[in-house]
Amino acid sequence: MLAFDTMLAVIAMQRRLRSLLRTTSYSIILATAMCGTTDSGPAGTSSSTGRSGSGGLGEGVSGSTGAGAGAGAGAGAGAGAGAGAGAGAGAGAGAGVSSGAAWSGSSGAMGSAGASGATGGSGVGTGGGAGDGGARGGAKFDHLVVILMENHNLNEIYGTASYMTKLADEYALLKNYTAIDHPSEPNYLAIASGQTFNPPSGDDAYHVFKARNIVDGLESVGLTWRAYSESASGPCDTANPDVRHVPFVFFSNVASNMARCGRVIPTAANTDAEMIAELNSAAASNFIWLTPNDDNNMHNGTIAHGDSYLQYLVPKILGTTTFLTKRAALFVVYDEGKVPFPNDFVYAVWAGPVVKKMYKSTATYTHYSVLATLEWNWGFPALTAMDAQGASMMEVFQ
């Protein structure tokens, strides 16, 4: 176990160092090594722990809930649910956004964390309402939207579905991206946690697992997130007929946490108006997940219907404030096709202002590559050996 933990720590450190080398100057890296950094947990998330850095490279976990204290000058503090306030080494405050979000904590020195998990030059606190994004910068993107579609191989979509073919030709298509398992549920869980849990997840029924997951990774570095489902009727809706497509509620530390459940919410079918409104807000979440209903995602609906749905939705996303003014990316991928792993190649396309145009990749990727890409971009530790060994998809970015 010690050797495995050490391996994950080394991989996480290497990814973070690569990210730092690409996104910061040498002087800032040196300052980090001298001062250390502090990332506090998100506001109102009682299960989050702060991340402390000694010497800027090593990472330890502070014992306090929602706060971290570094060995250097920085210090941050997470406020309670709906508060979203705090201070860094400097001083700053902003107006509240939606239901309790606030901007605070202009930091000094290396940029010690402001309240609620913000880092760098200006902190962003979160209060659980719509539009409360974090401020941590990524190596290639600062915002990501992921849309999961259903049950078709690449050769069924590319060249057949007119809009999706056009999107793939305009941006970046991964020609050798394979699903991992059958049926749907293990693939969703692999994306969200680096594990399939099959069995028992192979029955496509609702289960609760105690495991580290994508939410833990994002929050560990002060990032905000939200998951939308067109079929949900309320937060953390486990009676959702499409619950097998909403992996967040399968984890005990989300399903039993009121603050986290407040981020797994419904959105209007077909228009996804709530998600679009967040992307048009001043501070959208760093990571946004969308589960369309079973007609729109092609589970029950036709290819033509799903193609028409994305033809309406994707331009809406790409035309939002977040995508027009920030470093944002969109990833559209299918959960599985009809072929056994490792040849279950599915449609997987990256789009947005930070993505290469007219790019075709022949590298091999799997659903574990989603976590590997997020870990590389944002510098949080791998969750399992599978995503630690997964290939990141950073080649698609400018």
Side-chain angles (χ1 to χ4, degrees), residues 178-246:
T178 178
I180 291 170
D181 205 346
H182 299 290
S184 292
E185 191 172 295
N187 292 289
Y188 283 82
L189 292 170
I191 293 173
S193 70
Q195 302 181 65
T196 64
F197 298 97
N198 189 9
S201 66
D203 63 6
D204 253 3
Y206 178 61
H207 303 276
V208 178
F209 303 109
K210 186 177 181 180
R212 295 178 65 224
N213 54 75
I214 191 171
V215 172
D216 298 313
L218 292 167
E219 290 186 353
S220 74
V221 291
L223 297 166
T224 53
W225 62 277
R226 204 176 312 277
Y228 290 97
S229 170
E230 290 187 345
S231 299
S233 59
C236 262
D237 180 14
T238 57
N240 180 346
D242 300 331
V243 68
R244 66 196 182 285
H245 301 156
V246 187

Side-chain angles (χ1 to χ4, degrees), residues 228-301:
Y228 290 97
S229 170
E230 290 187 345
S231 299
S233 59
C236 262
D237 180 14
T238 57
N240 180 346
D242 300 331
V243 68
R244 66 196 182 285
H245 301 156
V246 187
F248 302 86
V249 298
F250 280 69
F251 303 110
S252 58
N253 66 359
V254 175
S256 62
N257 184 305
M258 185 176 297
R260 285 180 166 183
C261 268
R263 293 184 173 276
V264 186
I265 59 176
T267 189
N270 304 321
T271 64
D272 302 296
E274 292 80 1
M275 183 187 73
I276 296 298
E278 176 170 2
L279 290 170
N280 276 319
S281 70
S285 299
N286 297 107
F287 178 85
I288 292 177
W289 171 288
L290 173 63
T291 298
N293 65 34
D294 272 356
D295 285 329
N296 291 334
N297 66 15
M298 298 189 197
H299 184 280
N300 297 335

Side-chain angles (χ1 to χ4, degrees), residues 149-158 160-161 164 177 179 182 184 294-304 306 333-339 344-348:
M149 303 293 282
E150 279 277 313
N151 298 358
H152 288 81
N153 284 111
L154 174 62
N155 61 7
E156 296 178 274
I157 301 300
Y158 185 70
T160 301
M164 282 185 278
Y177 183 110
H182 299 290
S184 292
D294 272 356
D295 285 329
N296 291 334
N297 66 15
M298 298 189 197
H299 184 280
N300 297 335
T302 64
I303 290 176
V333 65
Y334 281 68
D335 69 328
E336 60 174 331
K338 302 174 179 68
V339 181
D344 196 18
F345 300 117
V346 295
Y347 181 95

Side-chain angles (χ1 to χ4, degrees), residues 39-45 66 76-88 92-107 112-136 143 219 221-226 263 278 281-286 326:
D39 294 345
S40 71
T45 307
V97 179
S98 190
S99 56
W103 298 351
S104 62
S106 175
S107 43
S112 54
S116 309
T119 62
S122 61
V124 177
T126 68
D132 53 2
R136 185 185 184 95
H143 297 270
E219 290 186 353
V221 291
L223 297 166
T224 53
W225 62 277
R226 204 176 312 277
R263 293 184 173 276
E278 176 170 2
S281 70
S285 299
N286 297 107
K326 299 180 181 179

